[in-house]
Amino acid sequence: MFGISRFFPTAPIGAYLVALAAGVALPLLIFVGYLMTELEANEREILAAETAEDAQLIARSIDRELQDMATTLRLLVTSPELEAGDLRAFHNRTQNSLRSDSLYILVVSADGQQRLNTRVPFDAPLGKVSNMPAFQSALNNGVTEVSNVFFGATSGKHVFNVTMPLPKEISHSGAAMIMTQNAEDLQKLVSTEGLPAGWSVAVVDGAGKVVTSLGAHALGSGTEFPSDMLKLMTGFKGTIEDIGGNRRQMYGYAQITGWTWKAVVWGPIDAAQASILTTWRQLIAGGAIFLALGMLIAWLVGRQLRIPIRQIAEMAERIGKGEIVSPVETKIREANQVAVALSNASFDRSEAEDRIHLILHELVHRTKNILTLIQAMMRQLARQDTTMEEFQKAISTRLQGLGKSIEALAKEQWAGVSIRRVIEIHMSTFADAADRVELQGTDFILKAEAVQNLGLILHELATNSVKYGALSVPQGRVRITWKDLVDENNGESRLELVWEESDGPAVHEPSRTGFGTTIIRRHAAAAFAGQVEVDFRSEGLRWSLNAPRLAFERGEGVETLKDIAI
């Protein structure tokens, strides 16, 4: 290496920059010329992979829709109206709940006779299902299946069915529930956005007919997709090329997992590659034209860089030692910008180090706070007369509730969470009862410790209600309200939070107090410095907390966690 350096003359930095520009640009231009011969094949491979991926994305979207329909059927099968044989009530409730999604339910006996169809009034005369082969296949196989697209007699449009055999407990003679949807409604799940101009997409059923399609050459629902192309679409996903036409076509396909349908994306290859090929040709021409100009500019820049480079290097060395440096003034604007950036970086580095120390301190403080709370929970639960299994379950459920609060705070960088959001998060744990909880009050942001404490309290109230209270029965409801109050003695702003249950089973005051009672009484009062009232009314539990608003609301300054004791 040192022997070769003898052949390099002592020269200005501009001369070396010119040589460097030429040494880099010329081989690059030669190499780009070679790449042009390989570009078309390489880009086609990329296009094939992207086309197959686009088809798979559409297939996943359709699969989620079909899975959602199957899940809805499983939920409807457990409907109490259906189990009781009250088809009129089942018809009315199902028709109202699914109308906005353009979904319709049929209950069909083993011979194909419709007993219920939510597309029409309950008392309307009904015939047999239009697609008997798909219906019989689902009954014979005993599994949920999706039909091929067909023309519905009732809807007057192309539709498809998802058929689920009814369990023997509901239908001893064999029957099925069908969810039907217009094929055109699937267009909301199929998009040509991101595809090259002139490309199209389609969803094809197991019989080779188009369910829905979009794009420049979209096919109508129920039409036959080219069978010669479908025969070549083997495997889970892939691409094929059609070279029989004037413009070469590429087809990407993907099987919809668990169903007989597949998604297909197709279009002309040259339309997808035109912009890339043009860009590369322009790159070669531009490189040749601007090579000489680049060499000249490199020499001129080199002349101006020598002194600024030295000055900036000195600044960098000082920054490396941890110093805060001031920018230097040079004749080159860009060099001045670099100098200013280095100066700013020295300040930012100092501030960042201070900020890291502050964050670490705050993290340790919050972690200790959370661990203290967990230890207190475990001590209180350990005092109860419970088995190890009950102790573990009690700890697990409360840690899950605490974890939801911490997760919400972490997403907001511990800056606080709105009270409505905190309530919704903890009520979502009880999914079956969440829609029977009514919230009323003006939303505001809770500070961090209020989020954790209120989360624990809400979790205990909801758990008790689901086990013994209003949420343990279908008609039971809970109303959570909060409002501002003013203390008449000192004018202090206070907040009243009320949990009120109704339409549940009769309420009796418990004979002994457990950890849950400790949470909603002592801990609630201590954590918010307020008063708690618990009224075991016969019509439903009423719990209220009256505390200073400052104990809830996030302040303007930086918040510090307080110790929590149960």
Side-chain angles (χ1 to χ4, degrees):
M1 180 67 66
F2 293 103
I4 296 176
S5 64
R6 292 183 305 162
F7 298 99
F8 288 91
T10 301
I13 189 173
Y16 277 104
L17 287 176
V18 169
L20 178 62
V24 172
L26 288 175
L28 182 60
L29 291 175
I30 295 173
F31 184 62
V32 168
Y34 166 75
L35 288 179
M36 285 298 298
T37 61
E38 302 291 331
L39 179 62
E40 184 177 1
N42 292 339
E43 290 300 326
R44 186 165 300 160
E45 291 179 2
I46 295 174
L47 178 62
E50 291 177 348
T51 302
E53 184 64 25
D54 289 337
Q56 190 170 24
L57 289 175
I58 295 173
R60 289 172 180 169
S61 179
I62 298 298
D63 176 54
R64 285 193 296 270
E65 178 71 8
L66 296 178
Q67 291 289 355
D68 289 346
M69 295 174 67
T71 300
T72 303
L73 283 174
R74 286 193 292 270
L75 293 174
L76 291 176
V77 165
T78 62
S79 171
E81 293 90 346
L82 189 62
E83 293 179 353
D86 189 353
L87 292 183
R88 180 182 294 275
F90 177 78
H91 177 281
N92 294 337
R93 189 167 75 91
T94 305
Q95 187 180 55
N96 292 333
S97 60
L98 297 181
R99 180 176 299 163
S100 60
D101 296 326
S102 300
L103 300 173
Y104 306 94
I105 296 298
L106 289 74
V107 176
V108 184
S109 59
D111 60 355
Q113 176 62 42
Q114 300 180 50
R115 299 177 59 193
L116 176 149
N117 189 333
T118 60
R119 280 188 184 271
V120 297
F122 179 77
D123 296 324
L126 301 172
K128 292 190 174 184
V129 292
S130 301
N131 195 340
M132 282 295 295
F135 173 72
Q136 290 295 337
S137 174
L139 282 185
N140 294 337
N141 295 329
V143 296
T144 302
E145 295 183 355
V146 63
S147 71
N148 296 326
V149 67
F150 62 96
F151 191 81
T154 303
S155 65
K157 299 180 179 179
H158 282 91
V159 300
F160 66 92
N161 292 341
V162 175
T163 305
M164 172 184 289
L166 291 176
K168 294 181 179 179
E169 295 81 7
I170 297 178
S171 174
H172 299 286
S173 60
M177 183 181 293
I178 298 174
M179 179 173 288
T180 184
Q181 186 177 23
N182 298 336
E184 62 186 22
D185 292 340
L186 289 182
Q187 289 190 357
K188 63 185 178 183
L189 306 176
V190 179
S191 174
T192 58
E193 184 178 355
L195 295 179
W199 281 54
S200 307
V201 298
V203 178
V204 183
D205 64 18
K209 293 184 178 181
V210 174
V211 181
T212 187
S213 180
L214 285 177
H217 301 284
L219 303 173
S221 297
T223 60
E224 296 282 347
F225 198 84
S227 59
D228 52 344
M229 291 292 104
L230 289 176
K231 292 178 182 177
L232 299 176
M233 295 179 185
T234 59
F236 181 74
K237 72 172 183 176
T239 56
I240 56 176
E241 293 185 24
D242 172 24
I243 59 176
N246 295 328
R247 302 180 68 186
R248 298 181 65 176
Q249 301 277 325
M250 179 173 287
Y251 293 79
Y253 62 91
Q255 185 70 37
I256 300 177
T257 306
W259 310 96
T260 58
W261 293 5
K262 60 169 57 73
V264 183
V265 178
W266 77 95
I269 296 175
D270 56 357
Q273 293 184 325
S275 60
I276 299 175
L277 294 174
T278 301
T279 301
W280 275 98
R281 294 188 184 99
Q282 291 175 349
L283 178 62
I284 293 176
I289 293 173
F290 292 109
L291 175 59
L293 181 60
M295 294 171 64
L296 176 61
I297 294 175
W299 181 75
L300 295 174
V301 170
R303 292 184 60 185
Q304 299 297 321
L305 282 179
R306 182 174 58 185
I307 296 176
I309 284 175
R310 292 176 180 174
Q311 294 175 324
I312 291 173
E314 292 176 357
M315 291 182 62
E317 290 178 359
R318 294 174 60 191
I319 292 174
K321 296 176 182 179
E323 299 181 19
I324 297 177
V325 298
S326 300
V328 296
E329 185 71 23
T330 71
K331 297 296 184 181
I332 301 173
R333 183 178 300 172
E334 288 78 6
N336 292 337
Q337 293 175 347
V338 173
V340 171
L342 286 174
S343 177
N344 293 337
S346 67
F347 284 99
D348 292 342
R349 174 179 174 175
S350 178
E351 292 180 355
E353 290 177 350
D354 294 339
R355 187 163 53 250
I356 288 173
H357 289 302
L358 178 62
I359 291 174
L360 288 176
H361 177 75
E362 187 69 12
L363 179 60
V364 170
H365 192 75
R366 293 188 185 278
T367 303
K368 290 173 62 178
N369 179 268
I370 293 171
L371 290 176
T372 301
L373 177 59
I374 293 174
Q375 290 174 347
M377 289 171 54
M378 295 180 67
R379 285 196 303 268
Q380 287 294 331
L381 288 171
R383 295 171 185 168
Q384 309 297 321
D385 186 15
T386 58
T387 65
M388 179 57 68
E389 181 179 356
E390 292 172 339
F391 176 79
Q392 291 175 343
K393 184 177 180 181
I395 284 290
S396 175
T397 56
R398 287 168 176 87
L399 288 180
Q400 289 176 1
L402 180 60
K404 287 182 176 292
S405 297
I406 295 174
E407 181 181 4
L409 284 169
K411 290 181 179 179
E412 301 297 333
Q413 299 183 352
W414 292 87
V417 184
S418 73
I419 185 172
R420 182 174 292 270
R421 178 63 179 153
V422 170
I423 297 173
E424 290 174 348
I425 287 173
H426 286 277
M427 293 302 100
S428 66
T429 304
F430 310 91
D432 294 338
D435 59 344
R436 292 185 280 126
V437 178
E438 177 187 354
L439 308 183
Q440 183 177 344
T442 303
D443 206 8
F444 64 94
I445 301 299
L446 295 173
K447 55 187 177 181
E449 67 264 22
V451 172
Q452 297 179 75
N453 291 323
L454 184 58
L456 285 173
I457 297 167
L458 290 172
H459 183 83
E460 292 298 333
L461 288 170
T463 300
N464 181 75
S465 181
V466 169
K467 288 183 177 180
Y468 314 109
L471 297 183
S472 65
V473 294
Q475 72 275 12
R477 303 190 65 83
V478 171
R479 187 166 177 260
I480 303 176
T481 61
W482 61 94
K483 62 181 179 180
D484 291 320
L485 302 174
V486 177
D487 192 322
E488 296 180 356
N489 296 325
N490 55 20
E492 180 186 33
S493 178
R494 301 181 69 85
L495 185 78
E496 183 182 41
L497 177 67
V498 179
W499 170 289
E500 190 171 13
E501 301 182 12
S502 60
D503 298 332
V507 176
H508 303 284
E509 185 170 357
S511 58
R512 66 184 183 90
T513 60
F515 179 71
T517 304
T518 302
I519 287 289
I520 65 174
R521 286 181 182 271
R522 291 172 49 197
H523 176 65
F528 293 96
Q531 295 84 40
V532 173
E533 293 185 4
V534 183
D535 186 2
F536 294 93
R537 305 177 305 172
S538 59
E539 62 270 20
L541 173 71
R542 186 183 189 276
W543 174 92
S544 66
L545 169 63
N546 187 312
R549 187 178 177 89
L550 290 175
F552 293 89
E553 191 168 20
R554 185 187 68 186
E556 296 296 331
V558 178
E559 185 179 289
T560 303
L561 289 177
K562 300 178 181 176
D563 292 333
I564 302 174
I566 297 179

